[in-house]
Amino acid sequence: MITSWFKSGSPWIWLNAAAVSTCLIMVVGILGLIMARGVGHFWASPIVELSYQEDDGQVKTIIGEHVDTTVTPAAMAKATGFKLSDSEDVLVQYLIKTGNRDLTGTDFRWIQERHIKTQSSPLDMMVIERREWGNFYGTLTAIKENGQVIATGEQAWSVLEERLKNALALHDKIAHLEKKEIGAINYALEKLRLKQKSLELNNAWNEQKAKEFADKKATYDADYKNHQAELAELYQEIRRDSLVASTESGAELAIPLAKIVDVYQPNKMGFFSKITHYLAKLGEFLSEDPREANTEGGIFPAIFGTIMMVIMMSIIVTPFGVIAAVYLREYAKQGFVTRLIRIAVNNLAGVPSIVYGVFGLGFFVYILGGNIDALFFPESAPAPVFGTPGLLWASITLALLTLPVVIVSTEEGLARVPRAIREGSLALGATKIETLWRTVLPMASPAMMTGLILAVARAAGEVAPLMLVGVVKLAPTLPLDGNYPFLHLDRKFMHLGFHIYDVGFQSPNVEAARPLVYATSLLLVLVIIGLNLAAIIIRNHLREKYRALEG
């Protein structure tokens, strides 16, 4: 009975179903964990005030956000050095984000539940998100203008909201002037310098050119001085206002509004206020630049860099993969050499990605990029242009890494096109290239898109090769901007995968970085899903378009 059951193949069907179900449960579990830990990071958590007895017997006040709770069995706690009474079965500890790192030297603190005397959530507690030193927790005391107190008590909040809004607007103006206006002038001056050096190397520099360049430089200098004067006025205005906040110990600290991103009182906020605050913080996360060693702020440069690199990789890998597959399937003589090439292509898909990174660094960056610099950019020497890791080499390296996937998928699609289709086209007088271009390739396009989907899914999550060929911790400028030629393929860029690695394993503040790791991981998954969905929609459209022809 059992033998016949095994011979029927039913056990293997159930085993396969169980394996697939297990994989799906694991995937859903991982995504659920990432979503639960990452999505809640932007919620306005209440501020608690604790009366806590220290080990020396002194009772102190601690304020902050309750981040995590651990429950340790008594035996294990005693083994690690904690002193528990016989009546205590477990040791409960709370992780409190106390902030105020510039005053206390740390952002987080573990406290024991048994040592908490009282706990409350005062309505006047506020959170100050700063551009440096992380969050500040305390109460608002006063608002100052040029060092003079102008508001205290309840009136201080209305004045703070108005002054902070003005300070944020001034900060945006300063950032625009520094990055866009002055950045464009510096870029133009550097281009002018390189052009002058090129003319000098080619013995084409003369008095007329010198006068033209001097006039251009004088114009740029005049614009630069105007912007610098405007910046000086803005800096003077933004440094005018400050707030005075008191800590749990009663100490007061003056914080310039120029160094503040946001101020809010979570204990006073209702549900809908928290929803509005949550959406604002989520928008900031998606649209702002990172700060505080990537543990605060947004990740827009990493999102932009990831999508830009994947798009460029797709543009590069698709034609090369399709051409290689067409040659192997339609033109190459099917024999030992062709089979050997197919085996090599399949084996390339199993090569570790870091090997591609080393190859990209050695061949694309140093050899190819170095020769490009020597031939076309001698005036930039000794500073490299393309002879250094950048967006172009990262895209080409990942295109090489994903090329086998596109080749194999396209070959499978070409093999599924009925032979009668080809013969019918040839019988009607079409040439082989016309048959291939107008009939075979369109019918195989869904398979090409499948290969591209797999390539995008792998490339978007790769980190190891990118660390060698272009990705950096923090890129000062985006690869795409308003300066000619607009798309700068030689620039380094940020990437979501590397950002996760950097924040999770290289951050000086691990506890503060942990929620960002989950949030960025979730965003990377969503970016990959979005790119794949776009390709899947195109593939399904093509499949429906040519389904009737296949029939």
Side-chain angles (χ1 to χ4, degrees), residues 27 102 159 180 190 205 220 247 257 285 311 322 343 403 406 411 415 432 455 512:
V27 169
D102 49 339
V159 175
K180 300 295 183 181
E190 178 63 14
W205 183 254
Y220 290 135
T247 66
L257 297 190
F285 179 69
I311 291 175
V322 171
I343 292 173
L403 184 62
V406 179
E411 265 207 275
K432 185 171 184 177

Side-chain angles (χ1 to χ4, degrees), residues 12 41 55 69 111 113 132 160-161 185 246 291 303-304 322 325 330 349 374 407 410 417 426 493 540:
W12 316 121
H41 171 60
D55 294 335
T69 302
I111 64 174
E113 182 188 41
E132 298 175 353
L160 174 59
E161 291 177 355
I185 292 174
S246 60
R291 61 179 190 273
I303 300 173
F304 186 90
V322 171
E330 302 293 333
I407 292 175
T410 304
V417 177
L426 295 172
F493 64 102
N540 291 342

Side-chain angles (χ1 to χ4, degrees), residues 58-331:
Q58 294 184 2
V59 178
K60 293 184 178 180
T61 302
I62 299 174
I63 61 173
E65 297 180 31
H66 180 195
V67 176
D68 198 5
T69 302
T70 63
V71 180
T72 308
M76 186 179 298
K78 290 178 180 179
T80 55
F82 290 99
K83 296 180 180 179
L84 277 73
S85 63
D86 295 336
S87 61
E88 292 178 297
D89 297 328
V90 295
L91 174 66
V92 180
Q93 296 185 94
Y94 298 144
L95 179 62
I96 305 297
K97 184 177 181 180
T98 57
N100 306 1
R101 187 168 72 242
D102 49 339
L103 301 177
T104 62
T106 180
D107 270 331
F108 293 84
R109 181 176 176 181
W110 285 99
I111 64 174
Q112 301 175 29
E113 182 188 41
R114 57 185 182 147
H115 290 166
I116 298 175
K117 301 300 182 182
T118 60
Q119 178 175 337
S120 61
S121 299
L123 297 178
D124 60 343
M125 287 296 172
M126 67 175 179
V127 181
I128 303 177
E129 292 186 16
R130 299 182 289 183
R131 302 189 189 278
E132 298 175 353
W133 298 107
N135 286 359
F136 180 91
Y137 299 98
T139 56
L140 181 62
T141 303
I143 303 297
K144 289 185 176 182
E145 179 181 329
N146 295 324
Q148 302 297 321
V149 176
I150 60 172
T152 58
E154 289 297 328
Q155 183 186 1
W157 269 104
S158 59
V159 175
L160 174 59
E161 291 177 355
E162 180 183 351
R163 297 294 177 101
L164 181 58
K165 184 177 181 181
N166 181 59
L168 293 175
L170 290 173
H171 182 271
D172 291 340
K173 289 181 181 179
I174 291 172
H176 177 78
L177 277 175
E178 290 179 339
K179 292 184 178 181
K180 300 295 183 181
E181 304 296 337
I182 295 179
I185 292 174
N186 290 333
Y187 182 82
L189 286 171
E190 178 63 14
K191 287 293 183 183
L192 198 64
R193 184 188 69 82
L194 292 176
K195 189 174 181 181
Q196 176 181 339
K197 189 175 179 181
S198 176
L199 292 173
E200 291 173 350
L201 290 174
N202 295 324
N203 296 321
W205 183 254
N206 51 45
E207 292 184 2
Q208 181 181 357
K209 293 290 184 183
K211 186 178 182 305
E212 292 178 2
F213 277 54
D215 293 340
K216 290 181 180 179
K217 189 173 183 301
T219 302
Y220 290 135
D221 288 340
D223 292 340
Y224 182 82
K225 289 180 180 179
N226 292 334
H227 291 316
Q228 283 292 97
E230 187 177 356
L231 269 180
E233 294 178 0
L234 292 174
Y235 272 118
Q236 184 177 1
E237 185 177 356
I238 199 175
R239 291 168 181 163
R240 178 191 62 188
D241 300 325
S242 62
L243 64 80
V244 179
S246 60
T247 66
E248 67 275 16
S249 63
E252 292 188 347
L253 179 68
I255 305 175
L257 297 190
K259 296 182 178 181
I260 296 177
V261 177
D262 193 13
V263 179
Y264 57 96
Q265 294 178 301
N267 295 346
K268 282 187 176 180
M269 297 170 67
F271 177 75
F272 292 104
S273 298
K274 289 189 175 183
I275 289 289
T276 303
H277 178 269
Y278 180 88
L279 295 177
K281 291 302 170 187
L282 183 60
E284 177 185 310
F285 179 69
L286 297 176
S287 61
E288 298 292 333
D289 293 344
R291 61 179 190 273
E292 286 284 324
N294 289 348
T295 60
E296 300 285 348
I299 56 171
F300 175 74
I303 300 173
F304 186 90
T306 302
I307 296 176
M308 177 68 71
M309 183 208 64
V310 169
I311 291 175
M312 287 190 59
M313 181 275 301
S314 303
I315 294 173
I316 295 170
V317 73
T318 302
F320 282 100
V322 171
I323 290 172
V326 167
Y327 174 77
L328 290 174
R329 175 60 59 179
E330 302 293 333
Y331 289 95

Side-chain angles (χ1 to χ4, degrees), residues 329-330 414-415 417-427 435 440:
R329 175 60 59 179
E330 302 293 333
L414 292 172
V417 177
R419 186 178 181 85
I421 298 285
R422 294 179 172 85
E423 294 175 349
S425 176
L426 295 172
T435 300
V440 177

